[in-house]
Amino acid sequence: MKRRRSLTQRVAHGEPAERVLAERLALLRRVAPREGSFASALHDERVAALLGIALAAAFGICFVTGLISHFIQNPLRIGALSQPTGPAWLYRVTQGVHVVTGTAAIPLLLVKLWAVYPRLFRRPAVTSIAHGIERVLVACLVGGSLFILMTGEMATAQWVPWEFRFRQTHFWTSFIVIGALVAHIGAKLAISRRALRRDARARMRTEDGALRASRPGGLTRRGLLISALAGAGAVVLTTAGQTLRPLRSLALLAPRRPDAGPQGLPVNRTAKAAGVLEASHAGDWALLIDGDVPHPVRLSLDDLRALPQCHVTLPIACVEGWSASARWTGVSLPALLRHARAPKQARVAVESLERAGLRRSTLNPAQAADADTLLALAIDGEPLHPDHGYPCRLIAPNRPGVQQTKWVTHLRVQA
Ligand SMILES: Nc1nc2c(c(=O)[nH]1)N[C@H]1C(S)=C(S)[C@@H](COP(=O)(O)O)O[C@H]1N2
Ligand SMILES: [Mo]
């Protein structure tokens, strides 16, 4: 039997290279998959449309809650308008919902991509300029969604092997994704409507017309849709426990349970890891209040304990999506500022003993003036555990956890 020659051998034997290549391309074209090669009835417009509706809802909620969370953390300063300090629970809710809906979108997106991937093989790939633009937008939508959901998940698990700044990248990519999503919905509206209506009619005619499986006994379209939604529901149930205490025992997928930690509260960074264990327990620890004040003050821990104590119930709400409420006792910040005769409407930089990492955060004038903003000394009447910020930590309404500075030692007033 004659052995088949390789392309290079044939060319070396004098065959024209164009002919050899053209033959090979023709062969590839014959064996390459095309849209029609995927016989499953599950790769279907109605399935794609219904999954699209579920995904658009998840993405929409995730985007809006993400924006609110972003502007709570990074307030827009418009004239004299200051970010409101309430409602106290707002960031907890927006960030909790943001992380849960983003996570639930993952199974929906994967099933949707599986349902539509045969369209990658539709030929011709591009039929007009408008169609070309639509394809590019779909590529942005798919790439952006996969990127934003995967890196978001990794960030909640504190697995950050990249160099870029997560929050900015996450924020800007979300506009690309939502922009491409809106354009995609616009482009597919007519087809989806038709698919949804057509099926309703077909179902009236034949009992099982719309529910047909690709193979007898195989997965039906309804089965696929129910599985995708059940997958998303299972993700919600097994992550929401990181912020909803009653569901905490189900929080299998969540990196945190809201009650696991000293004093019944999770710890993001321990005193040891922050390198402050010694300094926070030193006898000469003091709180310094200075900056733009006529009367800088230095208070020992006993001085702080001797001041009137307030009690507030406020959550620690981490950007990673977990949150937990606690009853805090300490000195209210406006009272401390009055002690130093700080001007009204001042911003206050709150600085930690920690030298690297999250060593300071800033209170805007409204937050600094809010009586519920405390330098907390105790949780549930017990002195703060070293990992929760002993001897004192900031706790203020409607702030992301990263801004609730622990091991505070210095308040710098900025008029
Ligand atoms: N000085 C300092 N304060 C900090 C942190 C930190 O690493 N260093 N972590 C912050 C983050 S990200 C969160 S979510 C909360 C967690 O508070 P907890 O450990 O008392 O629950 O503390 C915040 N305060
Ligand atoms: Mo956090």
Side-chain angles (χ1 to χ4, degrees):
M1 198 176 80
K2 194 174 150 209
R3 256 192 68 221
R4 269 192 67 181
R5 287 180 177 153
S6 74
L7 295 187
T8 37
Q9 281 167 341
R10 286 172 61 186
V11 175
H13 279 79
E15 276 188 64
E18 309 85 83
R19 201 176 77 204
V20 177
L21 263 182
E23 244 176 56
R24 274 303 148 105
L25 283 177
L27 175 72
L28 275 180
R29 236 176 264 127
R30 265 204 312 283
V31 299
R34 347 171 141 251
E35 209 189 5
S37 328
F38 304 86
S40 169
L42 303 176
H43 299 300
D44 159 87
E45 274 166 359
R46 180 182 164 83
V47 171
L50 289 170
L51 284 168
I53 292 171
L55 261 175
F59 274 33
I61 297 171
C62 195
F63 180 62
V64 171
T65 50
L67 277 187
I68 300 173
S69 282
H70 179 87
F71 287 114
I72 290 174
Q73 187 166 354
N74 263 38
L76 284 173
R77 263 188 270 165
I78 309 168
L81 270 184
S82 190
Q83 171 204 353
T85 55
W89 43 262
L90 184 64
Y91 183 83
R92 177 185 204 180
V93 171
T94 57
Q95 194 58 10
V97 172
H98 178 70
V99 172
V100 169
T101 47
T103 311
I106 293 174
L108 295 175
L109 179 65
L110 294 177
V111 179
K112 164 100 179 177
L113 289 177
W114 180 83
V116 300
Y117 87 94
R119 295 190 197 172
L120 275 177
F121 302 100
R122 178 178 281 180
R123 294 293 175 270
V126 175
T127 52
S128 65
I129 293 179
H131 185 233
I133 294 173
E134 191 213 314
R135 299 276 89 188
V136 170
L137 285 172
V138 168
C140 290
L141 178 55
V142 174
S145 305
L146 289 172
F147 173 79
I148 208 167
L149 294 179
M150 292 307 155
T151 52
E153 266 335 285
M154 288 162 72
T156 64
Q158 299 193 341
W159 176 31
V160 187
W162 51 72
E163 295 290 321
F164 57 82
R165 288 161 65 163
F166 174 75
R167 199 148 46 81
Q168 284 83 343
T169 314
H170 199 67
F171 178 73
W172 290 112
T173 313
S174 74
F175 287 93
I176 299 178
V177 169
I178 292 297
L181 176 63
V182 169
H184 181 64
I185 292 173
K188 296 291 180 192
L189 203 56
I191 294 182
S192 301
R193 277 200 167 143
R194 213 181 324 118
L196 296 175
R197 262 202 313 260
R198 166 166 47 72
D199 263 62
R201 260 184 264 124
R203 222 177 354 209
M204 271 189 277
R205 276 201 306 273
T206 64
E207 211 9 45
D208 64 352
L211 314 174
R212 178 173 36 98
S214 42
R215 268 177 281 111
L219 188 61
T220 60
R221 288 193 249 166
R222 177 174 288 172
L224 180 76
L225 286 168
I226 290 175
S227 314
L229 290 175
V235 166
V236 170
L237 272 183
T238 51
T239 47
Q242 65 183 341
T243 175
L244 287 177
R245 239 178 134 88
L247 290 179
R248 64 189 183 275
S249 55
L250 293 177
L252 302 170
L253 276 185
R256 309 272 181 159
R257 274 179 56 145
D259 57 352
Q263 300 177 316
L265 201 64
V267 169
N268 195 297
R269 192 167 170 79
T270 62
K272 189 156 174 266
V276 298
L277 204 46
E278 227 171 276
S280 61
H281 285 76
D284 63 349
W285 178 89
L287 173 74
L288 180 62
I289 310 176
D290 66 2
D292 297 327
V293 294
H295 179 60
V297 286
R298 206 182 153 82
L299 300 165
S300 70
L301 187 51
D302 284 338
D303 294 336
L304 276 180
R305 286 179 179 144
L307 290 171
Q309 303 290 302
C310 304
H311 310 277
V312 296
T313 300
L314 284 176
I316 291 282
C318 184
V319 287
E320 291 148 22
W322 61 266
S323 70
S325 197
R327 189 170 156 75
W328 309 88
T329 303
V331 186
S332 109
L333 206 87
L336 278 173
L337 295 179
R338 276 197 298 277
H339 222 68
R341 301 198 204 112
K344 291 209 158 48
Q345 290 298 309
R347 301 169 67 76
V348 178
V350 180
E351 301 190 356
S352 172
L353 289 170
E354 193 180 352
R355 300 280 30 115
L358 300 170
R359 47 179 298 272
R360 75 190 247 149
S361 67
T362 306
L363 293 163
N364 68 28
Q367 294 168 326
D370 192 308
D372 281 353
T373 299
L374 298 193
L375 271 195
L377 302 168
I379 296 178
D380 285 333
E382 256 179 58
L384 291 181
H385 184 277
D387 294 342
H388 288 312
Y390 179 90
C392 78
R393 68 114 30 101
L394 177 66
I395 186 81
N398 193 25
R399 267 165 87 79
V402 286
Q403 298 177 338
Q404 309 279 35
T405 306
K406 302 195 277 193
W407 314 294
V408 172
T409 187
H410 192 169
L411 301 179
R412 217 187 282 268
V413 177
Q414 301 161 351

PDB file of all heavy atoms in Angstrom, residues 53-67:
ATOM      1  N   ILE A  53     -32.763  35.614  29.860  1.00  0.00           N
ATOM      2  CA  ILE A  53     -33.570  36.425  30.779  1.00  0.00           C
ATOM      3  C   ILE A  53     -33.058  36.255  32.215  1.00  0.00           C
ATOM      4  O   ILE A  53     -32.862  37.229  32.945  1.00  0.00           O
ATOM      5  CB  ILE A  53     -35.064  36.031  30.676  1.00  0.00           C
ATOM      6  CG1 ILE A  53     -35.603  36.457  29.294  1.00  0.00           C
ATOM      7  CG2 ILE A  53     -35.878  36.666  31.796  1.00  0.00           C
ATOM      8  CD1 ILE A  53     -36.992  35.927  28.983  1.00  0.00           C
ATOM      9  N   ALA A  54     -32.789  35.000  32.597  1.00  0.00           N
ATOM     10  CA  ALA A  54     -32.289  34.743  33.960  1.00  0.00           C
ATOM     11  C   ALA A  54     -30.932  35.426  34.170  1.00  0.00           C
ATOM     12  O   ALA A  54     -30.685  36.051  35.211  1.00  0.00           O
ATOM     13  CB  ALA A  54     -32.171  33.237  34.204  1.00  0.00           C
ATOM     14  N   LEU A  55     -30.066  35.326  33.150  1.00  0.00           N
ATOM     15  CA  LEU A  55     -28.742  35.939  33.266  1.00  0.00           C
ATOM     16  C   LEU A  55     -28.825  37.454  33.317  1.00  0.00           C
ATOM     17  O   LEU A  55     -28.107  38.096  34.097  1.00  0.00           O
ATOM     18  CB  LEU A  55     -27.902  35.568  32.049  1.00  0.00           C
ATOM     19  CG  LEU A  55     -26.925  34.428  32.225  1.00  0.00           C
ATOM     20  CD1 LEU A  55     -26.267  34.122  30.893  1.00  0.00           C
ATOM     21  CD2 LEU A  55     -25.866  34.761  33.272  1.00  0.00           C
ATOM     22  N   ALA A  56     -29.704  38.027  32.475  1.00  0.00           N
ATOM     23  CA  ALA A  56     -29.830  39.489  32.467  1.00  0.00           C
ATOM     24  C   ALA A  56     -30.297  39.966  33.835  1.00  0.00           C
ATOM     25  O   ALA A  56     -29.820  40.987  34.342  1.00  0.00           O
ATOM     26  CB  ALA A  56     -30.797  39.936  31.375  1.00  0.00           C
ATOM     27  N   ALA A  57     -31.202  39.202  34.472  1.00  0.00           N
ATOM     28  CA  ALA A  57     -31.669  39.593  35.807  1.00  0.00           C
ATOM     29  C   ALA A  57     -30.500  39.531  36.798  1.00  0.00           C
ATOM     30  O   ALA A  57     -30.272  40.474  37.568  1.00  0.00           O
ATOM     31  CB  ALA A  57     -32.809  38.680  36.259  1.00  0.00           C
ATOM     32  N   ALA A  58     -29.730  38.429  36.766  1.00  0.00           N
ATOM     33  CA  ALA A  58     -28.603  38.287  37.702  1.00  0.00           C
ATOM     34  C   ALA A  58     -27.570  39.392  37.465  1.00  0.00           C
ATOM     35  O   ALA A  58     -27.111  40.042  38.406  1.00  0.00           O
ATOM     36  CB  ALA A  58     -27.955  36.910  37.563  1.00  0.00           C
ATOM     37  N   PHE A  59     -27.228  39.626  36.192  1.00  0.00           N
ATOM     38  CA  PHE A  59     -26.231  40.661  35.878  1.00  0.00           C
ATOM     39  C   PHE A  59     -26.745  42.046  36.266  1.00  0.00           C
ATOM     40  O   PHE A  59     -25.987  42.877  36.760  1.00  0.00           O
ATOM     41  CB  PHE A  59     -25.887  40.649  34.376  1.00  0.00           C
ATOM     42  CG  PHE A  59     -24.792  39.674  34.013  1.00  0.00           C
ATOM     43  CD1 PHE A  59     -24.648  38.475  34.689  1.00  0.00           C
ATOM     44  CD2 PHE A  59     -23.900  39.959  32.992  1.00  0.00           C
ATOM     45  CE1 PHE A  59     -23.640  37.578  34.353  1.00  0.00           C
ATOM     46  CE2 PHE A  59     -22.878  39.069  32.645  1.00  0.00           C
ATOM     47  CZ  PHE A  59     -22.756  37.867  33.329  1.00  0.00           C
ATOM     48  N   GLY A  60     -28.024  42.297  36.017  1.00  0.00           N
ATOM     49  CA  GLY A  60     -28.589  43.610  36.337  1.00  0.00           C
ATOM     50  C   GLY A  60     -28.505  43.876  37.839  1.00  0.00           C
ATOM     51  O   GLY A  60     -28.040  44.945  38.267  1.00  0.00           O
ATOM     52  N   ILE A  61     -28.936  42.901  38.646  1.00  0.00           N
ATOM     53  CA  ILE A  61     -28.901  43.091  40.107  1.00  0.00           C
ATOM     54  C   ILE A  61     -27.452  43.238  40.565  1.00  0.00           C
ATOM     55  O   ILE A  61     -27.110  44.087  41.393  1.00  0.00           O
ATOM     56  CB  ILE A  61     -29.577  41.895  40.820  1.00  0.00           C
ATOM     57  CG1 ILE A  61     -31.061  41.811  40.433  1.00  0.00           C
ATOM     58  CG2 ILE A  61     -29.426  42.012  42.324  1.00  0.00           C
ATOM     59  CD1 ILE A  61     -31.738  40.539  40.911  1.00  0.00           C
ATOM     60  N   CYS A  62     -26.578  42.394  40.005  1.00  0.00           N
ATOM     61  CA  CYS A  62     -25.170  42.412  40.401  1.00  0.00           C
ATOM     62  C   CYS A  62     -24.542  43.770  40.062  1.00  0.00           C
ATOM     63  O   CYS A  62     -23.780  44.330  40.855  1.00  0.00           O
ATOM     64  CB  CYS A  62     -24.453  41.282  39.676  1.00  0.00           C
ATOM     65  SG  CYS A  62     -22.856  40.888  40.350  1.00  0.00           S
ATOM     66  N   PHE A  63     -24.890  44.310  38.914  1.00  0.00           N
ATOM     67  CA  PHE A  63     -24.318  45.588  38.468  1.00  0.00           C
ATOM     68  C   PHE A  63     -24.800  46.736  39.357  1.00  0.00           C
ATOM     69  O   PHE A  63     -23.990  47.540  39.850  1.00  0.00           O
ATOM     70  CB  PHE A  63     -24.727  45.835  37.014  1.00  0.00           C
ATOM     71  CG  PHE A  63     -24.208  47.118  36.418  1.00  0.00           C
ATOM     72  CD1 PHE A  63     -22.848  47.335  36.286  1.00  0.00           C
ATOM     73  CD2 PHE A  63     -25.077  48.104  35.978  1.00  0.00           C
ATOM     74  CE1 PHE A  63     -22.359  48.522  35.728  1.00  0.00           C
ATOM     75  CE2 PHE A  63     -24.600  49.285  35.415  1.00  0.00           C
ATOM     76  CZ  PHE A  63     -23.235  49.491  35.295  1.00  0.00           C
ATOM     77  N   VAL A  64     -26.105  46.797  39.592  1.00  0.00           N
ATOM     78  CA  VAL A  64     -26.641  47.919  40.375  1.00  0.00           C
ATOM     79  C   VAL A  64     -26.117  47.871  41.814  1.00  0.00           C
ATOM     80  O   VAL A  64     -25.645  48.883  42.361  1.00  0.00           O
ATOM     81  CB  VAL A  64     -28.189  47.908  40.346  1.00  0.00           C
ATOM     82  CG1 VAL A  64     -28.760  48.918  41.327  1.00  0.00           C
ATOM     83  CG2 VAL A  64     -28.679  48.198  38.930  1.00  0.00           C
ATOM     84  N   THR A  65     -26.136  46.677  42.431  1.00  0.00           N
ATOM     85  CA  THR A  65     -25.639  46.592  43.814  1.00  0.00           C
ATOM     86  C   THR A  65     -24.139  46.881  43.845  1.00  0.00           C
ATOM     87  O   THR A  65     -23.643  47.520  44.782  1.00  0.00           O
ATOM     88  CB  THR A  65     -25.937  45.211  44.433  1.00  0.00           C
ATOM     89  OG1 THR A  65     -25.490  44.201  43.507  1.00  0.00           O
ATOM     90  CG2 THR A  65     -27.406  45.036  44.709  1.00  0.00           C
ATOM     91  N   GLY A  66     -23.430  46.439  42.798  1.00  0.00           N
ATOM     92  CA  GLY A  66     -21.991  46.714  42.725  1.00  0.00           C
ATOM     93  C   GLY A  66     -21.715  48.206  42.643  1.00  0.00           C
ATOM     94  O   GLY A  66     -20.819  48.722  43.306  1.00  0.00           O
ATOM     95  N   LEU A  67     -22.525  48.912  41.836  1.00  0.00           N
ATOM     96  CA  LEU A  67     -22.343  50.361  41.722  1.00  0.00           C
ATOM     97  C   LEU A  67     -22.588  51.057  43.058  1.00  0.00           C
ATOM     98  O   LEU A  67     -21.818  51.928  43.462  1.00  0.00           O
ATOM     99  CB  LEU A  67     -23.332  50.937  40.701  1.00  0.00           C
ATOM    100  CG  LEU A  67     -22.968  50.881  39.228  1.00  0.00           C
ATOM    101  CD1 LEU A  67     -24.004  51.658  38.425  1.00  0.00           C
ATOM    102  CD2 LEU A  67     -21.575  51.442  38.980  1.00  0.00           C
TER     103      LEU A  67
END
